Amino acid sequence: MTTALATKNALPWVTPEQEHIWLALSAPAKLRAEKLYEVAKAIHAAPHGTKGTLFAQYAAELGYKHVNGLMIPINKYLKTKNWFCLIDRRRDSTTWLKSTDNTLPHAFVEYWKSLVENNQRCLATAYDQLMQQLRLWRNGNPLAAIPGYTTPPLNAPGYLHPAKWSLRDLRRNGPSAIETAAARHGRTEALKHATAVLTTRKGGYPGMELQFDDLHHDTEVVHGDEITRVLEFGGVDYFSNFMLPPGLKPRKHIDGAYKELTEREHALFVVNLFCTVGYSPRGTLAVAENAKAVIRDGLGRKLARWSNDLIKTYTAAMSGAPLISGGYTERAKGSANAKALKEGSGKLYHNMLASLPGQLGMNPADMPAYLTGMRKQTEDILLAQGKLSESLILSHLRFEEYIHIAYDRIARINNRTQHNIEGWLELGLVTTEYLADPTEDRWINIATLPDEQQAAFQIIAAHSPHNFRPRKLSPYEVWTPAAANFIKLSPAAEADCLYEYARRTQPVNAGYFEFQDKDMGLGKFRYRAQYQDHTGNRQYLPNDVEYHLVINPFNPERAFIFTTKGQYLGMTPRHHAAMRSDAEAIHKEQGKKAAHANGLLTAFIVRNGLKDARAMDHNARIAEDGLRATLFPQIHQTHRPTADEPSLYADSDLPAPASDEPTGDDVSRYSLL
C-alpha cells in the first residue's frame, strides 16, 4: 500500500518520447529545471499550511528577488504535470516558438550557397551580387528572378533588405566549412575538415614503416662557383621517429632551368638506404608519394623479390576525380596523411637550420631584405677568388660545409629526450638516470650499465631517491638496438635494382673508367677496370672495350660492372688520385699498377714461360749427358755400327730403332704440346 501510494503521489519527469527534447536544451536551462523539480517534489509532499514558508525559504536559497518568481512555475507544473513549465524560455533560444513566416525558402538558401561557393574570395561580394540581382528583378527583368520567390520580396520595415536577408543572417545560412573548402580548393582540402584517421605506434617495432618524402631547404649555399639551393630526399621511421640519413644535392641551374629532384634519384636513394641501413627481419613497409618521392611498381617488385617479400611498398592514391558527376577533373594530388609523420617532421628540421646564413624564409614574402646584397657580395668574392691563391671567406656556406651541419642537426633531433611522441609512455620507452656529478649536471643512464651495477643502484635509490630521475628515451636509443639486427641487401641485389636507373656506357681507358658528371659532383670520377668474380679471383678488363657502369650517386665510392648485354661481372671501388707530395701513396699506386700489368699479361707469361721451361729442360739434359760422357767415357761410350757391319735387326720383323740424329729443326721448342 505504501508503494502504491508513493507511485500515485510521484511527480512525472521526462518520458522516453521527450528525451530528445530534454537533451537539446542548454546546460543552464537543464540545471534550473532540475532544481525546480526538486523544489516541486518538496512542495508537493509538504502538509498544508507550510507550503508558503517553504516557497519563501527556497526562493531565498535560489536567489529569487520575489517569491512569485519561484511560485508561478512550480504551481503551474504541479497543476499541469508538464516538466516543460520548469524551463526558463527567456534564457534558452531552443525553446522559442519560431514563426514559419520568417523562415527563408529552401530553394533560396541553396541558391545563396551557390553564389558563395562560386566566389573564390569573399562572401560579402556574393551578397552584393545577390542585392544587385534583386534590384534588377524589381526593375522588371524576369531573367533576374531569384529561386524560392514568385515575386520580388519587399524590404523589411525600417531596413534596406527583405526580412532575414541581412549579411549576418545569410552568413549563418551559408555553406559549411567543408563545402567552402571543396568549392575553393578541391577534394584534398575538404578532407582536412572530415574526421581524422587516428593511428598509434603501440604494438609496432622499429623499421615497421619507413616514410619517404622530398624537401627543399630554405637555405642558399655555394656549390662550385654558383649560389644554389639545397634539395633533399629523406626518410623517417614511424615507430621511433628516427630520421634516416638524408640524400642531399645542390639545385643546379642548367640550360636556363633549375634541375629539380627526380623519380630516378629517389629510386637510387631508396635502394642505397636498404643496402646501407637495411630492413627489419619482421618486415618493412616503405611509404612514398605519387610525385618525386615515388617508388614505382618495377622497383617495388625487385625489392620484394630480393628481400623474400619482407620489403613492401605503399603509395597513397591520387585524388583527381571530380567531386560531382560531370564536374571538372581536379589536379591530381596525393594525400599527405599517408606520411603525416614525415610531413610534420620537416618543421622541426627547418627550425634547426633556420639560424644558418643564406636563409630564404618560409615563403617569398618572408625572404630577408638583405639577401639581395648578400648574394651580390658572394658573387663578387667568387669572382675575385679565381685571381687569388688563398681562399677567401664567403658570406654563404659552401655545400660541403652545409652537409656536415645538416647531419649534425639531424643527430640532435634523433637524440632529443624532451618530446611528446605518441605512445612513448604506454610502450615503456623510458629509463632511469643517476646524478653522477651535481656540479656539472651529468647524469648516467642506468639501463646501459652491467646487471650487477644496476642492482647496486636500486639499493642506492631506496635511500637517496632524489638523485634519480625518469627520462624518456630518445629516437636514437629506440632505433639503434633494433637497427643492429637489420638485413641489408646484397651487392648483387643492389646492382640488379640500380641497373634500370643508373647505368652508363663507358669504355676502359688506360685501365680505368673515367668520366665527369656535374649532376653527381665536381671533378672526375675514376674506377679501376677490374673486379672480383664469384670464385674470388681478380679479373682485369681490356682497354678500349665498352661496358655498362652502374653507380649510385648517393654512394659513388663503388661501381657495378655489366657487359653491354646486361650480364653482371662484379664490383669495383672508386679510385682517388694520390697526392704528389705523398710518396707512400704513390708507391702503393705503383704497386697496384704492376699488379694490374701482371694480371693483363697472365696468358702471355704462361705461354712464353712454358716455352722457356721446355728449352731449359732440353739444354740441361744435353749438358748433363755431355758432362757425364767427359767424366766417364768408358761408361757413356755409345757403340754405333759401321756401314760394313750387318745390322742385328736386318733379318728380324722387329721395328728398327729410332735414330738419334736430328732430322731437322726441333719443333717441340715452339709448341706447348
Side-chain angles (χ1 to χ4, degrees), residues 72-90:
I72 292 175
I74 295 298
N75 289 334
K76 190 174 182 180
Y77 170 67
L78 293 175
K79 181 178 180 180
T80 62
K81 301 297 189 293
N82 185 0
W83 62 269
F84 209 69
C85 300
L86 304 177
I87 303 298
D88 187 355
R89 299 184 183 181
R90 296 170 299 176

Side-chain angles (χ1 to χ4, degrees), residues 385-443:
Q385 181 67 74
K387 303 176 182 179
L388 301 174
S389 58
E390 296 186 8
S391 299
L392 299 175
I393 299 177
L394 299 175
S395 302
H396 289 75
L397 291 173
R398 292 194 177 274
F399 178 70
E400 297 77 11
E401 299 172 332
Y402 186 83
I403 289 179
H404 291 289
I405 296 176
Y407 271 80
D408 175 73
R409 298 298 189 270
I410 291 177
R412 293 187 190 180
I413 294 174
N414 289 334
N415 284 285
R416 72 190 189 279
T417 58
Q418 300 295 326
H419 55 73
N420 293 313
I421 301 176
E422 184 272 334
W424 221 248
L425 297 178
E426 293 86 341
L427 289 167
L429 300 178
V430 294
T431 187
T432 303
E433 290 185 326
Y434 172 70
L435 182 59
D437 190 349
T439 59
E440 297 184 1
D441 194 29
R442 186 167 64 90
W443 297 79

Side-chain angles (χ1 to χ4, degrees), residues 163-241:
K164 298 296 180 180
W165 273 41
S166 67
L167 179 60
R168 181 180 178 182
D169 287 330
L170 292 184
R171 191 183 296 274
R172 289 196 295 265
N173 287 278
S176 62
I178 188 172
E179 292 173 335
T180 304
R184 295 180 178 177
H185 303 287
R187 180 192 299 270
T188 303
E189 191 68 23
L191 288 176
K192 296 180 181 179
H193 297 270
T195 304
V197 179
L198 303 178
T199 59
T200 180
R201 55 179 42 84
K202 289 183 289 187
Y205 54 88
M208 172 186 65
E209 179 181 329
L210 305 181
Q211 298 181 5
F212 299 100
D213 197 13
D214 61 295
L215 183 71
H216 284 62
H217 285 233
D218 296 332
T219 311
E220 286 184 338
V221 298
V222 174
H223 183 259
D225 58 352
E226 180 182 354
I227 300 176
T228 184
R229 195 172 179 179
V230 180
L231 307 178
E232 174 188 320
F233 278 123
V236 63
D237 174 52
Y238 172 77
F239 180 84
S240 64
N241 265 47

